[in-house]
Amino acid sequence: MMSSQTEIFRNKIEPVANEESDMNDVLNSDSDRSGSSGICGHLLTFFSFLLILLTFPVSVWSCMKIVQEYERAVIFRLGRLLGGAKGPGLFWIIPCVDTFRKVDLRTVSFDIPAQEVLTKDSVTIMVDAVIYYRVFNPTVSITKVENATHATQMLAQTTLRNMLGTKSLADILKDREEMSDQMEAVLYAASKNWGIKVERVELKDVKLPTTLQRAMAAEAEATRDARAKVIAAEGEMKASHALKEAANVMSESPSALQLRYMQTLTEIASEKNSTVIFPLPMDIISHFMKR
């Protein structure tokens, strides 16, 4: 059991790790092709080191930086990317030459505002959802897109409208989990180039127009009434068959009818009422009917 769970976890992690390594290779090759920073860059770096030495040990505090366990630092030296992301923990920079940006690796939840969508069967509905995403490659999320978080959120809104526009209202109400999985796959395919991993998408609520709600309620009520009438008719039919069989049994045994009379009198006498019943044998009544 533990081995199977480990294998599933490894299968989920390996694609993200492979994509991260591929993107890092691309960035490293780009930085290698860009060449060195030139003579001016070397001079600025030299004077920065000289300034650090002259102001030591005060300058140590401006060179030492710390990032948390859930953060990474992307360092730029003279505007060029310096290796991969640093952290967590302590790292060093050169003042006046290096700049860095922190990237949070924790999962972020974003509530997609209610979107007005026209479905395939021409029904206008309001749908809102929530997405969970995180940065899996800090370097790419900084260098490949201006604002990866904002871009992912805007992409989620447009994807929600586009996908629901190709579905009918019945499909949206019935296959919400399947649509969430499809939306998650589409978002990840687009956002992985920005270093963003979309982990989960959930449709929160589907708001129908008031007139449509009334029409659906009337339809459901009519369906329930029709089902109730069918059940009542089936019960009447079964009761008639039972009464027919009981009449056949009593016709074969006249004493059974008398016993039935006595049982009915017992049931009536158990209640507090002033009803008086005089049972007459059926053979007497039948004698007068023949005349």
Side-chain angles (χ1 to χ4, degrees):
M1 184 68 180
M2 291 295 295
S3 61
S4 61
Q5 293 179 352
T6 305
E7 185 66 25
I8 294 174
F9 180 76
R10 185 182 299 111
N11 293 333
K12 291 182 178 180
I13 295 298
E14 284 180 352
V16 177
N18 293 334
E19 292 175 359
E20 182 176 0
S21 61
D22 294 340
M23 291 181 180
N24 287 332
D25 293 339
V26 172
L27 291 173
N28 291 334
S29 61
D30 292 340
S31 62
D32 293 339
R33 287 194 300 267
S34 62
S36 61
S37 56
I39 298 176
C40 294
H42 290 301
L43 290 176
L44 289 175
T45 304
F46 172 75
F47 284 119
S48 298
F49 275 113
L50 184 61
L51 180 62
I52 293 173
L53 293 176
L54 293 176
T55 58
F56 187 82
V58 178
S59 59
V60 174
W61 300 108
S62 60
C63 298
M64 182 176 60
K65 303 296 179 181
I66 299 175
V67 291
Q68 303 296 330
E69 179 68 29
Y70 52 85
E71 294 177 333
R72 297 295 183 271
V74 180
I75 304 176
F76 296 90
R77 177 164 296 172
L78 297 175
R80 299 179 184 274
L81 181 65
L82 184 64
K86 306 296 182 182
L90 180 67
F91 66 96
W92 302 87
I93 64 172
I94 303 175
C96 304
V97 176
D98 292 346
T99 58
F100 71 97
R101 292 181 60 181
K102 291 183 180 180
V103 180
D104 198 328
L105 302 183
R106 292 176 294 182
T107 299
V108 179
S109 62
F110 171 67
D111 289 327
I112 301 177
Q115 303 293 314
E116 187 174 2
V117 180
L118 182 64
T119 61
K120 186 178 180 180
D121 49 354
S122 301
V123 178
T124 303
I125 58 176
M126 299 291 291
V127 182
D128 55 354
V130 58
I131 64 171
Y132 300 90
Y133 63 93
R134 62 179 176 85
V135 177
F136 73 90
N137 194 321
T139 305
V140 174
S141 66
I142 294 296
T143 58
K144 294 297 184 180
V145 62
E146 181 181 3
N147 190 333
T149 300
H150 181 70
T152 303
Q153 295 174 358
M154 294 299 102
L155 179 64
Q157 296 182 28
T158 56
T159 303
L160 178 64
R161 289 195 298 267
N162 294 337
M163 288 196 62
L164 296 183
T166 60
K167 303 289 184 179
S168 63
L169 178 60
D171 294 337
I172 294 174
L173 297 177
K174 180 176 63 177
D175 301 328
R176 297 177 65 174
E177 293 184 0
E178 181 180 355
M179 295 193 61
S180 297
D181 295 337
Q182 293 178 359
M183 186 175 174
E184 178 183 344
V186 172
L187 286 175
Y188 177 62
S191 63
K192 65 181 181 180
N193 296 325
W194 304 335
I196 300 293
K197 172 69 171 75
V198 178
E199 296 181 335
R200 191 174 182 85
V201 179
E202 291 291 342
L203 296 180
K204 293 174 58 179
D205 190 17
V206 178
K207 298 179 181 178
L208 304 178
T210 305
T211 55
L212 182 59
Q213 292 180 10
R214 293 175 180 173
M216 294 177 67
E219 181 182 0
E221 184 177 0
T223 303
R224 289 193 298 270
D225 291 341
R227 189 180 299 111
K229 291 179 180 180
V230 171
I231 294 174
E234 292 178 353
E236 291 290 340
M237 183 178 64
K238 292 179 180 179
S240 63
H241 286 303
L243 290 173
K244 180 181 178 181
E245 294 178 359
N248 293 333
V249 172
M250 290 183 179
S251 64
E252 296 176 357
S253 177
S255 61
L257 185 59
Q258 299 297 328
L259 293 174
R260 181 60 181 168
Y261 285 156
M262 300 301 294
Q263 183 181 2
T264 303
L265 288 174
T266 304
E267 292 177 356
I268 295 175
S270 63
E271 300 178 0
K272 295 180 179 180
N273 50 38
S274 59
T275 304
V276 179
I277 298 177
F278 296 96
L280 294 176
M282 293 298 296
D283 52 355
I284 297 176
I285 298 176
S286 62
H287 178 71
F288 287 103
M289 290 179 66
K290 289 180 180 179
R291 291 183 180 182

